[in-house]
Amino acid sequence: MRPQWTCFPEAHCQDSKPPGPDQESESERERERERAREKRWADLFDQLDLNKDGHIDILELRTGLAGRGLSRGSLEKIVEASDTNHDGVLDFEEFTQYLRTHEKELKLIFRSLDRNNDGQIDAAEIQHSLQTIGVEISLKDATRILQRMDKDGTMTIDWSEWRDFFLFKPLTNMQDVARYWKRSMMLDIGEQLTIPDEFSEEEKKSGYVWRQLMAGAFAGSVSRTGTAPLDRLKVFRQVQSLGDFKGNVLSSFQYMLKEGGARSLWRGNGINVLKIAPETAIKFTAYEQIKNLMRSKNEKRNLRVHERFVAGSLAGATAQTAIYPMEVLKTRLTLRKTGQYSGIADCAKQILQREGVAAFYKGYVPNLLSIVPYAGIDLAVYETLKFSWLNRNRGLTDPGVMVLVGCGAVSSTCGQLASYPLALIRTRMQAQASVKGAPKPSMLALIHNIVTQEGVAGLYRGISPNLLKVIPAVSVSYVVYEYTRIVLGVDIDGRRGGKEKA
């Protein structure tokens, strides 16, 4: 019996009219595109299959895609989503099936951005697409996003540029892409976040914001604990002329070990870690309120860069004012001798009894003055270095861990060089002895005394251990931050495990 053929719209049935030349030509072009696509996938598979065993495992993916800035969690999710036979590796069929499915998802997102259907995405279309999902950015920022994907310098993104950039980014919709772009532009890996990240209303309501802040706080805690000995050595050097701490860096380190043993190297670290969470929460809350005041009646207006810097600096000053007594306690506990205080509460009690409430704000003025030069230079240098690298390497994905760590280390060093004299004055004022009648010089008097007695170099006493801790602090903070984001469900490189995960 003759089979019955069913016809569908835009499909050709066997008993229909033979296709014309144009239809045959289009079919041939489609077959040619498919052959080219399969060849590209085969070449890519061959590049990633380092041991040429016909399979790709997670280690080969990490090695082959090392320059794409992908986290381990993202790669694991790619394998998990593609490994249909659950053997822990990808064969060619599984690999191509993942690429076929993912390219379809990327094509849908590309078409949604291409508003005028010209096959190209420009900066205005990027800006509009983000605004439609509640992410406000300037045209300048949209242009920066575009330049990262624009391989040929045309200031537009075609399908091949879009596909190649996101091919191994497991993003499934425009919200995922927006979070990826936002994080790649706003990533902060230093201890001081001058301009807090921008979050949509959906992210604020979902709890995503606080998980992100928790990840940053935990990363800061691990980083500070790891570099606490260098931090304590810095404080010793800063107050050297005020007490028993004489000599060079090595002798100061030996003194600490002799006086209190190896555990003494972490004195003051407890409260240094404790103050991270309240400072982060206060800074973020203050930043949101200051932004609302700046926007005035236009609640949806996107703040310009200098406005955001001012808002961030004011938020930082607000947070510092609120937690400053903890800064004083940190300095006193760092410098304490064995048996001087039984703990944080005892230290606070003794300061209050002997010196009064005012003692908890010693050094407050130089501390406040140091925020702007440190923050401004740190942010400016970091952004300049990062975007300079991106502009020289157009078409590449993330700069990668080493580039970001390098940018963070250089920017933090520059910020410290500019603000260090004020930080030294702050520490000396915090550490002033509480002996009745002892001189307690002002900020300007301290600067004059240091320059007169020790020269300008005296304003930078203790900076060597401070600079030594920059690279390990930034590196540890970055790594811990990335893995904590995965655990807390804010790893935007991975597929979302539900509504809130980015």
Side-chain angles (χ1 to χ4, degrees):
M1 180 173 153
R2 182 182 177 184
Q4 298 297 313
W5 301 100
T6 305
C7 293
F8 296 93
E10 299 181 7
H12 300 293
C13 304
Q14 290 190 6
D15 56 353
S16 64
K17 194 177 175 182
D22 290 343
Q23 293 170 325
E24 288 180 346
S25 177
E26 178 60 32
S27 298
E28 181 58 34
R29 283 195 295 268
E30 180 59 35
R31 285 193 293 271
E32 183 62 33
R33 283 194 292 266
E34 183 62 25
R35 284 194 292 268
R37 185 160 50 237
E38 289 180 356
K39 183 181 184 304
R40 177 167 49 82
W41 291 345
D43 291 342
L44 185 55
F45 184 86
D46 187 59
Q47 291 173 19
L48 294 174
D49 183 15
L50 301 179
N51 60 7
K52 307 305 176 187
D53 66 347
H55 296 87
I56 300 173
D57 59 27
I58 186 69
L59 292 178
E60 288 175 316
L61 277 178
R62 290 186 69 184
T63 304
L65 302 177
R68 292 178 176 256
L70 293 167
S71 68
R72 181 181 177 85
S74 298
L75 296 175
E76 288 174 346
K77 287 170 184 174
I78 290 175
V79 173
E80 183 182 349
S82 313
D83 184 17
T84 54
N85 61 5
H86 307 292
D87 60 355
V89 295
L90 303 182
D91 58 29
F92 181 69
E93 184 178 347
E94 291 170 330
F95 180 74
T96 54
Q97 182 57 41
Y98 166 78
L99 294 181
R100 193 183 309 277
T101 302
H102 192 47
E103 283 195 12
K104 287 180 181 178
E105 294 170 339
L106 293 177
K107 190 75 172 180
L108 291 173
I109 302 173
F110 181 85
R111 287 173 176 168
S112 71
L113 267 73
D114 184 17
R115 297 175 64 209
N116 57 7
N117 298 316
D118 65 349
Q120 308 282 336
I121 297 173
D122 58 29
E125 287 173 324
I126 291 176
Q127 182 188 34
H128 178 268
S129 66
L130 293 178
Q131 288 174 342
T132 57
I133 59 173
V135 179
E136 295 289 334
I137 66 166
S138 65
L139 188 60
K140 183 179 179 181
D141 285 339
T143 302
R144 284 178 171 177
I145 290 173
L146 180 145
Q147 288 175 333
R148 296 186 58 191
M149 294 179 280
D150 180 22
K151 291 181 180 179
D152 54 15
T154 59
M155 295 305 291
T156 58
I157 306 165
D158 60 25
W159 160 242
S160 63
E161 290 172 325
W162 173 270
R163 177 200 63 211
D164 293 346
F165 189 88
F166 285 114
L167 189 60
F168 289 99
K169 296 287 184 187
L171 314 175
T172 59
N173 53 47
M174 192 57 218
Q175 284 78 4
D176 289 347
V177 174
R179 290 190 178 100
Y180 171 81
W181 278 337
K182 184 174 65 175
R183 174 174 169 266
S184 67
M185 294 190 66
M186 299 298 299
L187 179 65
D188 178 84
I189 54 177
E191 289 185 6
Q192 298 196 23
L193 181 61
T194 310
I195 301 182
D197 205 347
E198 297 286 332
F199 298 100
S200 67
E201 289 302 317
E202 178 187 351
E203 289 171 329
K204 292 173 186 176
K205 292 175 182 177
S206 69
Y208 172 89
V209 173
W210 294 108
R211 292 200 302 276
Q212 171 115 328
L213 295 177
M214 282 174 61
F218 183 70
S221 300
V222 176
S223 173
R224 293 186 188 192
T225 300
T227 58
L230 287 170
D231 190 62
R232 188 170 189 235
L233 183 57
K234 173 199 72 175
V235 176
F236 262 72
R237 299 288 295 157
Q238 286 178 330
V239 301
Q240 174 179 316
S241 63
L242 299 181
D244 302 328
F245 320 121
K246 306 294 183 182
N248 55 26
V249 172
L250 181 58
S251 61
S252 297
F253 184 74
Q254 290 172 336
Y255 174 88
M256 291 191 297
L257 284 175
K258 184 179 178 181
E259 194 278 328
R263 289 184 62 185
S264 70
L265 299 179
W266 276 265
R267 282 180 183 169
N269 183 61
I271 194 161
N272 196 30
V273 169
L274 282 175
K275 68 186 178 69
I276 294 176
E279 183 178 10
T280 302
I282 294 169
K283 186 183 292 185
F284 174 74
T285 304
Y287 180 67
E288 290 296 308
Q289 295 301 317
I290 294 167
K291 277 200 313 180
N292 291 336
L293 289 174
M294 285 184 159
R295 285 171 175 156
S296 188
K297 295 180 180 179
N298 188 357
E299 296 181 359
K300 294 185 178 180
R301 182 173 72 87
N302 188 38
L303 294 184
R304 293 183 289 273
V305 174
H306 71 275
E307 291 177 315
R308 293 176 56 240
F309 175 75
V310 170
S313 297
L314 290 174
T318 303
Q320 280 288 300
T321 302
I323 62 99
Y324 193 77
M326 299 178 78
E327 295 277 2
V328 175
L329 286 171
K330 180 248 181 183
T331 298
R332 296 292 183 93
L333 288 165
T334 298
L335 295 171
R336 79 183 187 271
K337 294 182 179 180
T338 303
Q340 186 174 356
Y341 305 117
S342 62
I344 297 174
D346 183 52
C347 179
K349 180 181 177 182
Q350 289 194 39
I351 294 174
L352 188 61
Q353 289 176 342
R354 296 176 183 176
E355 304 168 65
V357 177
F360 288 105
Y361 280 89
K362 282 185 176 180
Y364 174 75
V365 173
N367 181 70
L368 210 58
L369 292 175
S370 70
I371 290 177
V372 173
Y374 177 89
I377 293 173
D378 185 22
L379 179 72
V381 174
Y382 179 73
E383 291 295 302
T384 300
L385 291 174
K386 180 179 173 182
F387 286 114
S388 175
W389 187 95
L390 291 170
N391 287 334
R392 290 176 183 174
N393 296 273
R394 288 187 178 184
L396 295 182
T397 55
D398 291 338
V401 173
M402 295 308 296
V403 174
L404 291 176
V405 167
C407 293
V410 173
S411 65
S412 181
T413 300
C414 292
Q416 287 185 36
L417 289 172
S419 63
Y420 192 82
L422 287 168
L424 181 138
I425 297 300
R426 174 202 65 195
T427 302
R428 290 204 177 185
M429 293 181 74
Q430 290 174 342
Q432 282 174 353
S434 58
V435 179
K436 194 171 183 179
K440 296 175 183 177
S442 64
M443 178 180 74
L444 294 177
L446 268 175
I447 295 174
H448 179 266
N449 292 343
I450 292 172
V451 173
T452 302
Q453 297 171 17
E454 306 173 51
V456 176
L459 295 173
Y460 287 89
R461 184 178 296 279
I463 196 171
S464 54
N466 205 46
L467 294 179
L468 282 174
K469 77 172 187 174
V470 169
I471 293 179
V474 171
S475 302
V476 171
S477 182
Y478 183 92
V479 173
V480 175
Y481 179 66
E482 290 302 297
Y483 279 94
T484 307
R485 285 169 60 87
I486 296 172
V487 172
L488 294 178
V490 287
D491 175 29
I492 60 100
D493 284 343
R495 293 186 184 276
R496 295 192 295 172
K499 177 182 178 181
E500 301 168 3
K501 186 175 179 182

